[in-house]
């Protein structure tokens, strides 16, 4: 058996898949809150974020399908891949937990995604630049909303302070993956298609320090990172999420919906 | 989503303490199709009937998020997922405007929610049926939102201003939902044999509960006369039900589905469809909370409310701390 050589085309596809899968899997998680959030207003906010993310996922996965060149559209990629073919980060597949954990996850992800899209909007790949520029407006709002809630919960009551702190405790081990795992082929970074996420870390840490000061939360000592999402080595949670999400297209493969 | 008055206790006539000239002036304004606004004088029974009807409507929107929310995670394509999520979100938005409209009558949202959780307040019986397949999402949009529109279009001219204005916005979105639901069903009906069977099965299960949504027949609807006189209601339950049947039957035929009523036939003389007897025992049982998933629905609402209590408390505590910080700053400045 020969190991196929990796080309920058594969890395490009894989990169766009990561962007699409992050958005898709987090949208799926946020959708679980619909009808069950702490108040109608929060229900609507979480659904808004989920809707934006479904839109982003549709654009990224549609483009990924074109790059792959096997005739797969966004739906085919979303509903007909198995766990080890998903390229999302581990953070987004984490179960919702309580509202504190959901907000912690959202804060980390949206703050990172905001910094990422700012850079990606200047990608030398005009398709990625266009999607990121459009999505940046949405993500700016997500990051602000999440930061407001981190402050509200951190500063609110003793219980909310503990709960949001616990929520972050759950998530810290997944932060490193966002910054340290680079595209499969470094050439797509040097050519300006992809963003070197390591360069976003300082801005992320600084945003975190500002929000946490206002929220009266202690800054974390980051634990040993857990990695693997970008190469398809996921948590046990993702398989269950997919079996739910993919049920209909898998059960009725000939049907069009 | 739905507004039929379901309480069996008729609203009382004007309380003896209410000045007859105030009552007469109020009745005249209503008869003249003027809007009554929150600060206007109104009979206590009118206020109570409205709070009951609007809060029941708000609760129906919010409980109605559950059966459809049940399929968000399993919607069969990205587009269907986005459309469904947006739809359920719209229902939550309707709940918000309706609670706000009811609050203008002097009852707080928390009080209304408390009444829902203790079973004192009702919501539409239709949401006490389960959504078993994807076709149910089509059927709810097509039939349930279709029935809701029949009820709600006249309410855009209801006598209470805040309610009427909320309904204008709600109606626009509901008619969009109805078309989306019909489109889902149409696609299934034109799909594989399994998909078509799924659509027919959903119509079979949702048809009768949908036509029950208009409430008891006119001869057994204690509040109708008073509500019509007060312009809280503008058409009777049976009139609206007939309109719904007349519009919906040809839609089912057009996409090759069969309405599950052997007695259904076009009556040339009346210019309407005749339909079979409705099982009112079933209706009243579901109103009483004996619907197949009534317990699940109420439990889901109570759980969300109780599990979210610490979040609402935190938001209030933070807002209070901020206000006191601002006060201190102002005092020091």
């Amino acid at each position: 058996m020969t190991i196929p050589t990796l080309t920058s085309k594969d890395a490009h596809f894989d990169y766009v898949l990561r962007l699409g899968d992050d958005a898709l899997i987090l949208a799926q998680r946020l959708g679980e809150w619909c009808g069950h959030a702490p108040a109608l207003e929060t229900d609507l906010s979480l659904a808004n974020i989920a809707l934006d993310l479904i839109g982003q996922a549709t654009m990224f996965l549609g483009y990924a399908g074109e790059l792959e060149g096997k005739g797969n559209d966004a739906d085919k990629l979303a509903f007909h891949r198995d766990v080890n073919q998903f390229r999302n980060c581990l953070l987004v597949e984490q179960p919702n937990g309580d509202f504190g954990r959901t907000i912690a996850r959202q804060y980390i992800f949206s703050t990172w995604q905001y910094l990422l899209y700012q850079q990606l909007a200047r990608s030398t790949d005009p398709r990625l630049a266009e999607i990121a520029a459009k999505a940046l407006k949405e993500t700016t709002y997500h990051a602000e909303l999440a930061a407001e809630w981190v402050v509200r919960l951190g500063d609110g009551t003793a219980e909310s302070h503990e709960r949001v702190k616990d929520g972050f405790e759950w998530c810290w081990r997944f932060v490193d993956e966002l910054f340290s795992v680079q595209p499969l082929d470094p050439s797509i970074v040097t050519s300006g298609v992809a963003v070197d996420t390591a360069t976003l870390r300082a801005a992320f840490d600084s945003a975190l320090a500002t929000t946490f000061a206002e929220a009266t939360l202690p800054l974390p000592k980051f634990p040993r990172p857990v990695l693997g999402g970008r190469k398809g080595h996921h948590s046990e949670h993702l398989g269950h999420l997919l079996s739910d999400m993919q049920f209909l297209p898998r059960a009725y493969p000939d049907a069009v919906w | 989503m739905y507004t039929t008055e379901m309480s069996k206790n008729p609203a009382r006539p004007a309380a003896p303490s209410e000045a007859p000239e105030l009552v007469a002036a109020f009745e005249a304004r209503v008869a003249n199709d003027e809007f009554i606004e929150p600060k206007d004088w109104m009979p206590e029974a009118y206020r109570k009937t409205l709070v009951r009807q609007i809060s029941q409507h708000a609760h129906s929107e919010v409980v109605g998020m559950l059966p459809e929310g049940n399929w968000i995670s399993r919607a069969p394509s990205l587009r269907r997922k986005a459309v469904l999520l947006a739809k359920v979100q719209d229902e939550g938005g309707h709940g918000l405007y309706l609670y706000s409209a009811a609050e203008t009558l002097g009852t707080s949202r928390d009080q209304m929610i408390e009444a829902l959780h203790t079973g004192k307040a009702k919501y539409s019986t239709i949401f006490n049926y389960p959504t078993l397949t994807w076709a149910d999402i089509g059927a709810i949009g097509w039939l349930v939102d279709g029935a809701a529109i029949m009820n709600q279009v006249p309410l855009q001219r209801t006598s209470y201003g805040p309610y009427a204005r909320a309904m204008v916005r709600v109606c626009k979105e509901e008619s969009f939902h109805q078309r989306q639901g019909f489109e889902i069903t149409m696609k299934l009906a034109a799909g594989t044999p399994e998909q078509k069977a799924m659509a027919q099965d959903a119509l079979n299960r949702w048809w009768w509960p949908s036509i029950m949504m208009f409430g008891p027949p006119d001869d057994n609807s204690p509040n109708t006369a008073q509500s019509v006189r007060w312009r809280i209601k503008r058409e009777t339950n049976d009139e609206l039900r007939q309109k719904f049947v007349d519009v919906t039957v040809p839609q089912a035929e057009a996409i090759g589905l069969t309405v599950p009523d052997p007695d259904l036939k076009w009556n040339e003389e009346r210019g309407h469809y005749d339909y079979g007897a409705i099982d009112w025992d079933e209706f009243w049982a579901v109103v009483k909370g004996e619907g197949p998933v009534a317990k699940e629905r109420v439990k889901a609402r109570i759980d969300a409310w109780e599990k979210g209590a610490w979040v609402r408390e935190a938001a209030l505590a933070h807002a209070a701390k901020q206000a006191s910080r601002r006060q201190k700053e102002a005092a020091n400045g």
Side-chain angles (χ1 to χ4, degrees), chain B:
Chain B
M1 158 123 345
Y2 163 83
T3 55
T4 295
E5 175 60 63
M6 287 183 304
S7 166
K8 270 193 144 177
N9 310 313
R12 292 210 183 86
S17 58
E18 290 176 342
E21 61 278 13
L22 284 175
V23 177
F26 169 86
E27 298 267 359
R29 286 185 65 194
V30 169
N32 199 30
D33 273 340
E34 285 177 44
F35 283 126
I36 304 300
E37 296 299 334
K39 286 187 176 145
D40 295 344
W41 187 88
M42 62 189 81
E44 212 33 50
Y46 175 84
R47 184 187 298 275
K48 273 194 184 148
T49 305
L50 271 173
V51 168
R52 192 171 56 220
Q53 182 171 324
I54 303 173
S55 66
Q56 189 169 288
H57 189 169
H59 297 326
S60 300
E61 298 284 356
V62 174
V63 177
M65 295 169 79
L66 300 170
E68 292 178 283
N70 183 36
W71 279 88
I72 290 171
S73 71
R74 291 175 291 170
S77 71
L78 295 172
R79 184 174 82 87
R80 294 289 183 206
K81 191 187 288 294
V83 168
L84 179 59
L85 183 55
K87 187 200 171 197
V88 179
Q89 191 193 29
D90 283 348
E91 313 293 0
H94 298 171
L96 264 184
Y97 335 136
L98 287 161
Y99 282 128
S100 304
E103 283 187 312
T104 64
L105 292 157
T107 306
S108 72
R109 200 205 300 186
D110 283 6
Q111 285 173 307
M112 291 184 263
I113 289 173
E114 168 78 15
L116 172 70
H117 293 173
T118 56
K120 248 179 76 189
K122 303 289 181 206
Y123 55 89
S124 178
T125 49
I126 196 85
F127 302 119
N128 288 331
Y129 293 91
T131 48
L132 303 179
T133 72
W134 173 249
D136 291 25
I137 299 307
I140 288 184
W142 173 32
L143 304 174
V144 176
D145 290 308
I149 293 165
M150 293 290 166
N151 257 321
Q152 289 170 359
V153 164
L155 287 173
Q156 296 177 88
R157 295 178 295 119
T158 194
S159 60
Y160 188 58
Y163 191 26
R165 289 188 288 275
M167 291 323 296
V168 172
R169 200 161 158 190
V170 169
C171 280
K172 273 188 201 142
E173 293 177 349
E174 295 292 9
S175 66
F176 193 57
H177 299 164
Q178 193 271 347
R179 285 201 294 274
Q180 287 165 349
F182 185 65
E183 200 250 327
I184 289 175
T185 309
M186 196 167 68
K187 192 92 182 176
L188 293 173
T192 64
E194 290 95 338
Q195 282 177 302
K196 185 165 184 181
M198 206 186 266
Q200 182 62 54
D201 167 66
L203 176 59
N204 293 349
R205 283 180 290 111
W206 290 93
W207 173 256
W208 290 105
S210 296
I211 67 170
M212 288 179 197
M213 276 177 68
F214 295 93
D218 294 347
D219 54 14
N220 187 23
S221 180
N223 295 325
T224 291
Q226 164 112 305
S227 287
V228 169
R229 187 161 58 87
W230 276 345
R231 306 283 200 269
I232 290 174
K233 207 176 163 126
R234 311 224 35 156
E235 285 170 78
T236 70
N237 296 352
D238 285 334
E239 284 164 2
L240 291 166
R241 186 170 10 250
Q242 183 70 59
K243 225 184 225 186
F244 174 77
V245 171
D246 290 349
V247 167
T248 310
V249 170
Q251 291 173 345
E253 283 170 357
I255 56 174
L257 297 182
T258 308
V259 172
D261 177 359
D263 298 324
L264 186 80
K265 61 172 182 296
W266 178 252
N267 183 325
E268 197 63 53
E269 205 174 303
R270 291 203 307 127
H272 291 293
Y273 281 95
D274 291 336
Y275 50 88
I278 294 173
D279 182 354
W280 292 112
D281 290 342
E282 160 85 5
F283 173 78
W284 288 115
V286 179
V287 168
K288 276 196 303 187
E290 295 170 7
V293 293
K295 281 205 189 305
E296 285 88 338
R297 298 290 184 247
V298 174
K299 182 177 185 302
R301 286 313 314 158
I302 293 174
D303 283 352
W305 189 248
E306 288 178 353
K307 284 183 189 152
W310 69 271
V311 177
R312 297 190 303 276
E313 283 158 19
L316 290 174
H318 171 66
K321 283 183 192 176
Q322 273 198 319
S324 89
R325 272 175 222 139
R326 270 196 299 272
Q327 262 181 355
K328 267 185 208 153
E329 277 167 23
N332 296 336

Side-chain angles (χ1 to χ4, degrees), chain A residues 26 30 49 53 102-111 142 146:
Chain A
L26 187 53
L30 290 171
I49 300 178
L53 291 172
T102 290
I103 286 298
R105 184 185 65 196
Q106 198 64 45
Y107 176 82
I108 294 168
F109 181 78
S110 296
T111 305
H142 305 166

